[in-house]
Amino acid sequence: MTDILADILGLAREQVLEQGIGLSQEQALECLQLPDDRVDALLDLAHEVRVKWCGDEVEVEGIVSLKTGGCPEDCHFCSQSGVFDSPVRSAWLDIPSLVRAARETAATGASEFCIVAAVRGPDERLMKQVRDGVAAIQAEVEINVACSLGMLTQAQVDELAEIGVHRYNHNLETARSYFPSVVTTHSFDERINTCEMVRAAGMELCCGGIVGMGETLEQRAEFGAQLAALAPDEVPLNFLNPRPGTPFGEQEPMSATDALRAVATFRLMMPRTILRFAGGREITLGDLAERGVRGGVNAVIVGNYLTTLGRPAGEDLAMLLDLKMPIKALAKNL
C-alpha cells in the first residue's frame, strides 16, 4: 500500500509539475489518503507546482460585510443564517464606512477588496447600495473590487460587470453528493448556474468552499474535481470554524495534517488557479499556516472575516516577507 501511495507523488510530479495537467478525482483521493510521513513531500511538490504554473507572487485581499446576518438560507455552517439561533444580528454598512474599509485594505498592500452580503440574492435595495459603493470606492481608492452577493439573475450579472466588478465570489461550499447535508433551501445546480453566468459575462470567477464539515475523503476529492471542472480564477479554501447556534456548531475542527493534505491536493488538481487561504485557518492550522502557504497557497485574506476574527494583517504580511513571497501589485482591468 505504501508503494502505491508513494507512486501518486511520482505520477503527480510528471503529470502536474511537468505537464500542467491537474490530478483527477481518483488521483486526488490517493493524495488525501497519503500517510502522515508523506505529507511534507506532498506539500513540497505542491509548492513546486505553484511556483512553476502561477509564479512566486501572493495576492492579498480584504473583505467587508455590506449586509450582515438575517439571511433566509439554512447553510448549516453559517452564523449569518436567520434560520438558526445565532448571536449574529442583521446590520447594514453605509457607503462612507465601505470606502473607509476599502482604503484601509489598500493600505495593507492588498490588490483586492470584496463586498459581501448575507442574502439569498440581491434585491434592488442591495443592488443600489452596491452600485453606489463600487462607484465611491473606484473614485477614491486604487483597488480591484469584487462582490459576493449570493445567487444572481442574468440582469444582475450584466449590471455588476458593467459597473466594473471584476471578480465575483460564489462558493459551491462542498461536493454535490454532500450538499444536501449542508444546505436545503437551495440547490447545488442553482449555485453552478450563477457561476456559469459570471464567467460568461467576462467577470473573473471566485469559487471555493469549506472542508472539514463532515464530508468523507471521497467527497473531498469529488469537491475538488467539481471545482476544477468550473475552472475558477480563484478558489478560496475555508476550514470549518464551528459557530455556536448552527447545526455544525458542535463539530470538531479538522486536524492540521488533514487540512494541509487538502491544501496541497487542491493545488495539484488546479495547478494554475489562485488558491486562497480563507476562514478557519487560524484554529485549524495555527502555527502551521506558514507550512500551508509553502504548500501551494498563493493568496490570503488579511484581517478579519465576516463574523470571525482572523490574524492581524501585519502578521500575515510579515509571514509573506519572511517567506520571501512578493505581494502581487494591483493590476487594473482595462
Side-chain angles (χ1 to χ4, degrees), residues 3 7 49 96 101 104 114 147 159 168 179 199 210 217 220 240 243 253 259:
D3 289 341
D7 285 346
V49 166
E104 291 170 353
C114 187
C147 285
E159 182 174 358
Y168 191 80
F179 192 85
R199 291 301 301 268
I210 306 173
L217 292 183
R220 202 168 290 166
L240 180 66
R243 307 315 302 153

Side-chain angles (χ1 to χ4, degrees), residues 160-315:
L160 292 175
E162 184 178 345
I163 66 175
V165 173
H166 91 289
R167 186 181 291 172
Y168 191 80
N169 166 252
H170 195 58
N171 290 338
L172 295 184
E173 305 303 7
T174 190
R176 179 186 289 273
S177 66
Y178 193 59
F179 192 85
S181 299
V182 178
V183 185
T184 69
T185 48
H186 60 266
S187 70
F188 190 85
D189 285 326
E190 285 177 286
R191 286 185 172 267
I192 291 283
N193 184 53
T194 290
C195 292
E196 290 176 342
M197 286 192 294
V198 164
R199 291 301 301 268
M203 285 185 284
E204 290 188 2
L205 175 62
C206 171
C207 182
I210 306 173
V211 293
M213 293 194 292
E215 74 279 2
T216 64
L217 292 183
E218 288 80 5
Q219 288 169 325
R220 202 168 290 166
E222 176 196 347
F223 176 39
Q226 287 158 353
L227 285 172
L230 274 176
D233 299 275
E234 174 186 346
V235 171
L237 193 56
N238 300 270
F239 309 97
L240 180 66
N241 182 349
R243 307 315 302 153
T246 67
F248 289 169
E250 301 301 319
Q251 284 200 25
E252 287 293 320
M254 70 189 301
S255 74
T257 303
D258 282 344
L260 291 173
R261 280 192 194 90
V263 168
T265 299
F266 276 47
R267 168 53 66 206
L268 296 181
M269 298 182 85
M270 296 171 278
R272 295 174 177 82
T273 300
I274 298 170
L275 184 59
R276 187 181 297 279
F277 257 160
R281 63 188 169 102
E282 295 76 21
I283 67 163
T284 302
L285 291 172
D287 293 339
L288 292 178
E290 178 178 312
R291 191 69 184 99
V293 174
R294 288 282 297 178
V297 167
N298 62 333
V300 295
I301 292 177
V302 296
N304 296 330
Y305 305 111
L306 300 177
T307 61
T308 59
L309 297 177
R311 298 205 322 168
E315 291 186 16

